[in-house]
Amino acid sequence: MTTLEMPVATETLTLGKAINAGLRQALADDDKVMLLGEDIGTLGGVYRITDGLQRDFGARRVLDTPLAEAGILGTAVGLAYRGYRPVCEIQFDGFIYPAFDQIVAQVAKLHYRTQGAVRMPITVRVPFGGGIGAAEHHSESPEAYFTHTSGLRVVAVSNPQDAYTMVRQAIASDDPVLFFEPKRRYHVKGEVVLGGSLSDATPMGSARVVRPGTDVTLVVHGALVQTAVDAARAAEADGTSIEVIDLRSLSPIDYDPIVASVRKTGRLVVAHEAPGQGGIGAEICASITERCFGALRHSPVRVTGHDIPYPPSKLEKHHLPDLDRILDGVDRVLDRPNSLSGGPLA
Amino acid sequence: MTTLEMPVATETLTLGKAINAGLRQALADDDKVMLLGEDIGTLGGVYRITDGLQRDFGARRVLDTPLAEAGILGTAVGLAYRGYRPVCEIQFDGFIYPAFDQIVAQVAKLHYRTQGAVRMPITVRVPFGGGIGAAEHHSESPEAYFTHTSGLRVVAVSNPQDAYTMVRQAIASDDPVLFFEPKRRYHVKGEVVLGGSLSDATPMGSARVVRPGTDVTLVVHGALVQTAVDAARAAEADGTSIEVIDLRSLSPIDYDPIVASVRKTGRLVVAHEAPGQGGIGAEICASITERCFGALRHSPVRVTGHDIPYPPSKLEKHHLPDLDRILDGVDRVLDRPNSLSGGPLA
Amino acid sequence: MTMHDTFLLPLTDAVQLITPEGRRVASPAFDPWVADVTDAELLQMYDDMVIVRRIDAEATALQRQGQLGLWPPLLGQEAAQIASARALATHDFVFTSYREHGVGYVRGVTPAQVTPVWRGVAASGWNPYDVGMAAPQVIIGAQTLHAVGYALGIQNDGADAVAVAYFGDGATSEGDVNEAMVFAASFDAPVVFFCQNNQWAISEPVSLQARRAIAERAPGFGIPSLRVDGNDVLAVTAATRIALDRARSGGGPTFIEAVTYRMGPHTTADDPTRYRLDGELAEWRAKDPIARLETLLTDAGALDDDHRTAVKAKADAAAAELRAACIALRDPEPMSMFDNVYAEPNSMIDREREASRRYLAMFEGVEA
Amino acid sequence: MTMHDTFLLPLTDAVQLITPEGRRVASPAFDPWVADVTDAELLQMYDDMVIVRRIDAEATALQRQGQLGLWPPLLGQEAAQIASARALATHDFVFTSYREHGVGYVRGVTPAQVTPVWRGVAASGWNPYDVGMAAPQVIIGAQTLHAVGYALGIQNDGADAVAVAYFGDGATSEGDVNEAMVFAASFDAPVVFFCQNNQWAISEPVSLQARRAIAERAPGFGIPSLRVDGNDVLAVTAATRIALDRARSGGGPTFIEAVTYRMGPHTTADDPTRYRLDGELAEWRAKDPIARLETLLTDAGALDDDHRTAVKAKADAAAAELRAACIALRDPEPMSMFDNVYAEPNSMIDREREASRRYLAMFEGVEA
Ligand SMILES: Cc1ncc(C[n+]2csc(CCOP(=O)(O)OP(=O)(O)O)c2C)c(N)n1
Ligand SMILES: Cc1ncc(C[n+]2csc(CCOP(=O)(O)OP(=O)(O)O)c2C)c(N)n1
Ligand SMILES: [Mg+2]
Ligand SMILES: [Mg+2]
């Protein structure tokens, strides 16, 4: 990790360009940083997130790899053994599974296996989530597979500034980090403070209250952060005050701000795109119930993707939590008329 | 699925032998049933679960495969396309990850992908769990990865009778089934009614109250069922009445008996060997809180493996929930003095 | 030195029976396998290729017009697909990736069945059992194992069918494809590995995936391989027939590398100008699979302007059918998303379905 | 016909420089690579093999006595391991599976560092950086990719080190091993693939994994391969030196198949009588790697009874050291299970640790 004082500048960047800037900074800061992936070199990635990086840092540091995800991750493990900080790009969420064994049985465990002798500062960048009208396997939200895997850190970014800062933090971390990028928000712009020392930045592991509120706590990550903020705005018009928390870190989860919020609101809604069963919403609801049972005025509510394979894209609007479904969840947690008011489900 | 009237007989069998008998029955019932795996033929499997089956049904139906788990599952997909009912053995829990992509992106999705045209009646047998003093990767509990995967069914057996019946049911099911076998209980004996028609048997998807009780509901599966029963017996001596529920099916989860129990007890403890974060305990606690919020007198409590890679075997007794840790969980849910009485954790 | 770094047969050029200029050249090894191919059959392949190329162009246009979400063009790979698929029997079974529109066309996939996937209304446009062709596979290489498993089933059934796996040059790097070769060899499975080496895996050249000709990989697994000019319908026919014959006669798997070129983008989302080499496209245009067959047949007096006009009309009709069918596709009913997750009743899905029904009912003002 | 089903060099027997009877035979290709090997160096290998075999037997005994949970014996594979490891430089780095006790011994793993894993007190007995050898790998084949990645690192560093991957015949079926060959070839990585073909993967014969000699797989990936008698220290030395030399001089990866035999069970939990063929063990006993070197050295006057006695004493001492170290191993502290899950502070682990501390404190009667 670098301790240099970085020059600071502010630019308006898309989320995608912010990641590019973060990768560029990381490559410049530490010559042990290497990028590996399919089509990340000449093409700059199918989303152009690595655009220009091979040109500027060379084909030894920004590697187009053969088309094999286990190969990418397994090679990264060997590079880490040698002292490198590999940053792997998985082209789409649904293509991470061939690398699953290398991630859960190797990357996650090697520091433990070697009693701390070998570090695995590997970052795995994964564009994730739906809403882009894509073909099968291009819209998944596999984050819960990794949050259930001890030894990994998992983060998801929601805005350009976090994207820039957190990708640098992930790369600088001595632990392996699954870095989830909300692909449908790659093009969204925001102000980004570039440069700066990582030690001054909000830690990668902390959640953030993005909109304060008093009636309901709404916990989200990735692309749904914006949807949640929109929902909170809409609810405000009805006189409902929603506190929106962006998880940012999915493992470990920063419970303090959630606990503080729920103690205040007594009501929790968690939304995510992945199927509900076994999703991170289950973990958060269970953990918050453990920690705040007495403060809860209603059972925590989950608003999630359905327990189905990701459907054909013309159906995704019905699968993904949107503003209306989130507000329906808010109505449920507030005991207002809602979709389930008709009586308990079977 | 066969509808023949089966001769019925009762024998005392180990759990392992009961699976063997179930596989034998399935092979006899339907010549589309095939067994695939590493070392399952001549050797009869490293746990001898398939002992004698290749001898009796031939090397075309009981196949020793090359050493490649993706290969086993991918081949099974093709066989299913052709109308077969493949039963794959994964030698140990920790070796399922190379097959993860074939399981979650193919096996789980093909029926959906083809709008029902192609069935995937694939059974994946996985000896799982710890407590046998084994080397790394031989003691894992990966079931939550699969319960989070829509399109799969997941079951775990705990006794010889269920092992026999449920392996037949899993094979007869037109859906893919992850079949988890509690390897540390392979040698435990019990009475098994052999034969009989599957339509008379308890459905594979249903949970079972294995010990009625009134004070606390304790939900477990696999090897921990016996531990839970032992804990309930011990608690009885203290005057605490624990209702033990064997989940049997982990996806879908049969919530009715759990809900009924919690409405009665107001207190839920879920125990499993897998790490807590994102484990099936989280799902059950969240779901039961959703369904029984008013009835809960304490937040549901989880007693699980720690959020660490499976430790060296000399430490596993500290990692796995045992009778004492389960009773400590019971004390927590009953607001009795317990390990966490000292004050909230950070 | 016992360095096994070279092969018996140096793989210089792929086997070619029709030159890019449209001349028939002799190949003592391959000629017997195509001796019976009539001009009428060649003309049939010509027609197929023209039609498929037209459909492909129409689909690209539909994507540009927002009617499809994505389209992976086969432009340039018509001969590899049409000739190989034409060599198959009806009861053979094919496992492809996403670009095999030509294979599908020959198998009987109708224009109307092609677009649902790419419009996003269904994950598969046809019933695999109706056409002997699996749903398209997006996970690179995964289908090769499926083909091997299907072939094991054929073997167990004592049937004389063959399973065929289509995949790309990039796919050969995936573990699955290599495991498929291990399994196929081990069990002498009646399977044909048909690799369309179209020179690129999105932006990655085949040289990144393989330091030798792709066809050189298989023999080390115990699988004989053939390397043919994939833009030459006759060479592809011969190779596929050889492979099918081996499979049907218990000879086990064969690997075919069809050397071809993707003349379009990887998909409509791709910009190949970012990675293609100068002159590359022009070089391969000169090897166009349709043009050379057209010359051959014209020179042989088997193809005249009347036929050309007729086939063009057919192609336009097929394109029109595709367009009409595509545009007529309605979005699926929301509740259909819960169908076929499981084959058997499932309490989790039932509950989800009921919750969604009630949720949607709120918007319809319908009593839940 | 362009059927690439045979190789330039028919792989009949593996290269042998010392016959099972202990005679030195000539090999024009290999001899130059071992011309400088002195009798003293051969004697060193002999000593190593005797000691490692003794340690192996002791560990098996310790397992039988309940002191180890499991042990995977290397019995029969001493030459393959000792000779290859002796050919390496200190700054090379080795990635092995679980059976490479001989490699570890040469790399400097002490007897005391061997047993922790198999007793279940630690997942790795040594610091990989101390000995240039990774933690043992249980997931079959996974380490081959690690070796390739490490080799890429070496390449980027401009170092002249080599990464070596040890794996078995069974491992060659796993996707990972094949992907490792793809990556190694693609990047000309300075890596040596060292496959000990010990004929079995638990109960599965090598013929189930590969229909050709294992060595024939690599050339198709663009990786030259060598097939040697793995029970012959000189042949293994020569092959390893050739491969290392290629790697160090920028020649890229090499694949070595060392043909050997596992004379013991797969692990102490295995019963090989269930699957071994009649006479197989006897046949391979006659090819014992230690016996043949003993004869060669004795005939050369380089090994006498005094040395035999001395080395036996050394071996017994090593075995005693192993035993003593093993038995002295204490169970780790319960709370140590939370150490090193993460390299950096982690709130989830902190909480778990604290909960466990309090839980354990209850039993100690200590105030939590
Ligand atoms: C497992 C997996 N990884 C990555 C991708 C993304 N991807 C889609 S097509 C493609 C290139 C495939 O190249 P090739 O196999 O040569 O087939 P072609 O597209 O040229 O027909 C890639 C990398 C994928 N679909 N699946
Ligand atoms: C991914 C994976 N699958 C299965 C196993 C179980 N297993 C352990 S050793 C072994 C056989 C390995 O054979 P080989 O590669 O020839 O090595 P050898 O044991 O003969 O040294 C198997 C199947 C495993 N450890 N890892
Ligand atoms: Mg290609
Ligand atoms: Mg072996």
Side-chain angles (χ1 to χ4, degrees), chain A residues 38 67 69 91 95, chain C residues 98-99 138-140 168-171 174 198 200-202 266:
Chain A
E38 296 157 9
L67 204 180
E69 290 75 13
Q91 202 164 79
F95 309 148
Chain C
Y98 39 81
R99 201 186 299 285
V138 173
I139 302 294
I140 299 298
D169 45 300
E174 289 279 9
N198 65 4
W200 292 98
I202 309 187
H266 168 69

Side-chain angles (χ1 to χ4, degrees), chain B residues 1-342:
Chain B
M1 194 196 295
T2 175
T3 53
L4 292 174
E5 272 308 302
M6 295 286 159
V8 174
T10 302
E11 271 186 50
T12 303
L13 292 178
T14 62
L15 196 155
K17 288 275 176 228
I19 298 172
N20 179 279
L23 294 171
R24 176 176 290 278
Q25 186 72 55
L27 282 160
D29 286 350
D30 183 349
D31 61 13
K32 291 295 181 197
V33 173
M34 279 178 65
L35 273 47
L36 290 84
E38 296 158 9
D39 304 294
I40 67 166
T42 319
L43 187 65
V46 296
Y47 279 109
R48 308 289 185 266
I49 304 302
T50 54
D51 198 25
L53 299 177
Q54 187 181 70
R55 183 194 57 217
D56 296 342
F57 294 94
R60 284 209 168 283
R61 297 193 59 202
V62 180
L63 248 75
D64 269 335
T65 65
L67 205 180
E69 291 73 15
I72 294 171
L73 264 294
T75 307
V77 168
L79 282 163
Y81 248 108
R82 179 81 190 172
Y84 281 83
R85 293 187 175 275
V87 184
C88 305
E89 175 174 304
I90 296 294
Q91 201 162 80
F92 281 90
D93 34 57
F95 309 148
I96 198 166
Y97 308 123
F100 202 72
D101 179 62
Q102 286 288 346
I103 296 175
V104 309
Q106 306 299 331
V107 174
K109 291 183 170 174
L110 262 158
H111 188 257
Y112 194 69
R113 181 179 303 152
T114 61
Q115 290 150 76
V118 179
R119 301 206 155 172
M120 287 286 127
I122 296 174
T123 301
V124 187
R125 295 184 35 245
V126 190
F128 85 119
I132 58 160
E136 212 187 344
H137 311 288
H138 290 72
S139 307
E140 311 208 345
S141 295
E143 56 274 31
Y145 295 126
F146 303 102
T147 57
H148 184 51
T149 305
S150 310
L152 300 177
R153 298 189 62 138
V154 183
V155 303
V157 297
S158 66
N159 62 70
Q161 180 68 62
D162 279 356
Y164 170 77
T165 307
M166 287 170 73
V167 82
R168 289 179 58 204
Q169 290 172 319
I171 295 169
S173 169
D174 279 339
D175 288 314
V177 181
L178 273 281
F179 187 86
F180 285 97
E181 305 173 0
K183 69 170 92 79
R184 78 162 177 266
R185 296 191 56 77
Y186 272 148
H187 301 292
V188 170
K189 285 187 180 161
E191 290 263 285
V192 181
V193 181
L194 297 166
S197 146
L198 289 180
S199 42
D200 300 340
T202 313
M204 183 173 69
S206 61
R208 180 189 293 132
V209 176
V210 290
R211 198 175 195 277
T214 51
D215 297 332
V216 172
T217 303
L218 175 55
V219 173
V220 280
H221 66 278
L224 283 188
V225 172
Q226 187 57 51
T227 315
V229 168
D230 294 344
R233 283 212 192 95
E236 196 171 40
D238 290 354
T240 306
S241 169
I242 300 180
E243 179 146 301
V244 178
I245 296 180
D246 179 357
L247 280 173
R248 294 172 15 108
S249 177
L250 310 185
S251 181
I253 290 170
D254 178 17
Y255 279 109
D256 290 348
I258 311 176
V259 166
S261 180
V262 171
R263 288 204 197 287
K264 178 172 66 179
T265 63
R267 308 192 192 261
L268 172 68
V269 175
V270 185
H272 57 68
E273 294 190 9
Q277 181 166 282
I280 64 154
E283 177 60 38
I284 294 172
C285 290
S287 288
I288 290 299
T289 305
E290 282 164 18
R291 292 168 204 227
C292 312
F293 186 67
L296 285 176
R297 298 158 73 189
H298 189 281
S299 70
V301 163
R302 289 179 279 172
V303 181
T304 69
H306 299 299
D307 291 312
I308 61 177
Y310 202 88
S313 62
K314 292 285 188 194
L315 285 170
E316 68 182 339
K317 61 175 172 295
H318 302 293
H319 175 62
L320 298 175
D322 59 6
L323 188 144
D324 287 330
R325 278 184 60 208
I326 287 176
L327 289 179
D328 182 54
V330 167
D331 286 340
R332 278 160 64 196
V333 84
L334 283 165
D335 280 312
R336 294 190 188 145
N338 66 74
S339 66
L340 302 184
S341 309

